[in-house]
Amino acid sequence: MLLNKKIIRFVCTLLGMMIISAAAFAQTSQDALVQKYLEKANAEFDDGNIEGAYKNINATLNFCVTNGGIIPANVLVITRSIYTQRLKQIQRKYNENAYIDIKTNLEEKFPAVNTTELSKLLKQIAADVAATEKAENKKQQKDFLDSIKSSTSSTNDAIAELGNKMVDQGEQMMRQTEETNKNISKMIDENVRSSEKTQQSITLIFIVVVIIVVVILLIVGLILLIMRISVKQSQMQQAQYAEAFRLLAQNQSQTNQLMIGGIAGLYGSDGLKLAGSSTWSQEALPEPEDTEEEKESLRELAVKCEELGTKIDQTTGRKNNSKNVSELVYKLAVKLGVRQHDAMVYFCASMVYDAGFLSFEPELLQAEQLTEEERKKIARHIDMAEDHLQFVPKKYWEVFYNAAKFHHENEDGSGYTGVKGDDIPKIAKIIRVADSYNALSSKRAFRGGMDKDSAVEKLEQESYLYDKDVLNALKEII
């Protein structure tokens, strides 16, 4: 009996271990699949294939939402960049199905992705479509009114021409009447002189006069009738014109109002955390929950840093440098055990650590060959960032200052300012590794980029320049 209980306990223990292993394997597979889609979206975006990047990032978002409902902050950043470019494509060449798809994603499927900029783009596209429809309606209305005016004008011209002809005929008949009256007077004179024919002449004159009067009355009556008909037709045309205009105004289609969602957050229901084992970790105390005010402050800061980072990349000619470095800094910080709130501040600061470059002309920064004097001049960019970072809140200023001032420092003290070892701020240590890796693996106008393994191997050959914990973290996440 005791042996049977041991066997049952052993079988239950074995089944529990198998279930835990299967769950761990499933989670690893899920994470690998998310990373695969995210990398594919990044590659498509870097190559300028916005539609391809949009499809792959949506696959990433679907997977995240389906398997837990949490979208990591680094996924949100690349998603917003891709969605922004996709909306700009739709704005340049409107596609109703594409617009409805991305609007549905932002408002219903992935509301966490939405930002003020994306909302503004949705509203602008809706306004452009409404304006186009309104312009087309106005053109149709104008064409219709012009057609009515043309018809009315033609009718009035015809009536006026007929009236003129009748007036001319009346004048001609009046002249004929005058001539006839002269002839009658002549005849009367002749009849007076001729006593024998007086009676006949008087009778003839009377008949002629009566006929002439009747003819004149008929002509005058006909002219009056034509004029009356003309006035009546003109009034009818004007009434038709007014009625047509009223119907057009009454039946004009109204532009549908588009309900655009609000600003999405940088946070899900839980923060993304990975435990660290080095001196970077702060697991001794639980991480305090950020207030809504702090979360909103970080959201606004991230948007401003993303805009400034894009401007820096345009000035230096380094495509997506800000995005790539900041994402890698965030991953390294989390891997090293930096608290989630601080990792997000690091993420923001690493988008604008090269803000000092904005003080130079793009031609100087993008030149393939530099003189020694020009190199020294460019090296001073670490002291020029402050003028471009005035929007940073005071509570985050130290992190941003350290990122901009010390990101070229080496562990052995051979950097720009000579600071070394533990005196180098943590944010600067992480940016030093992330910036170097990104520079080696990115394509440049004068050379191609290394593959991941070659880039990491190159950094290890010069490991005396970098913090060993950061370098080890890089090897684990690449």
Side-chain angles (χ1 to χ4, degrees), residues 31-45:
D31 293 342
L33 189 56
V34 169
Q35 185 64 28
K36 177 181 178 182
Y37 278 118
L38 184 59
E39 289 178 352
K40 191 171 182 180
N42 267 314
E44 296 283 3
F45 186 74

Side-chain angles (χ1 to χ4, degrees), residues 146-258:
D146 289 342
S147 174
I148 293 176
K149 288 180 181 179
S150 177
S151 175
T152 302
S153 177
S154 299
T155 303
N156 290 336
D157 291 342
I159 293 173
E161 183 178 0
L162 179 60
N164 291 334
K165 288 181 177 180
M166 295 301 296
V167 169
D168 292 339
Q169 290 177 358
E171 291 176 353
Q172 184 177 1
M173 292 184 71
M174 290 294 292
R175 288 193 297 270
Q176 291 177 354
T177 301
E178 292 176 358
E179 186 68 22
T180 302
N181 289 335
K182 291 178 181 179
N183 292 331
I184 290 173
S185 298
K186 185 178 180 181
M187 289 172 63
I188 290 174
D189 293 337
E190 291 176 355
N191 288 331
V192 170
R193 289 190 298 268
S194 177
S195 58
E196 295 151 12
K197 297 180 180 180
T198 300
Q199 187 63 39
Q200 294 178 356
S201 296
I202 293 173
T203 303
L204 181 61
I205 291 171
F206 178 79
I207 294 172
V208 172
V209 170
V210 170
I211 292 173
I212 291 173
V213 171
V214 171
V215 171
I216 291 174
L217 290 175
L218 288 174
I219 293 173
V220 172
L222 183 59
I223 291 174
L224 292 174
L225 179 62
I226 291 173
M227 292 179 65
R228 184 176 180 180
I229 292 173
S230 175
V231 171
K232 188 174 182 179
Q233 288 182 345
S234 178
Q235 291 175 346
M236 290 178 61
Q237 292 290 345
Q238 291 178 358
Q240 291 175 355
Y241 178 87
E243 180 65 12
F245 185 86
R246 185 186 68 79
L247 290 174
L248 283 173
Q250 181 179 353
N251 297 326
Q252 184 177 8
S253 62
Q254 301 295 325
T255 304
N256 293 326
Q257 299 293 327
L258 299 176

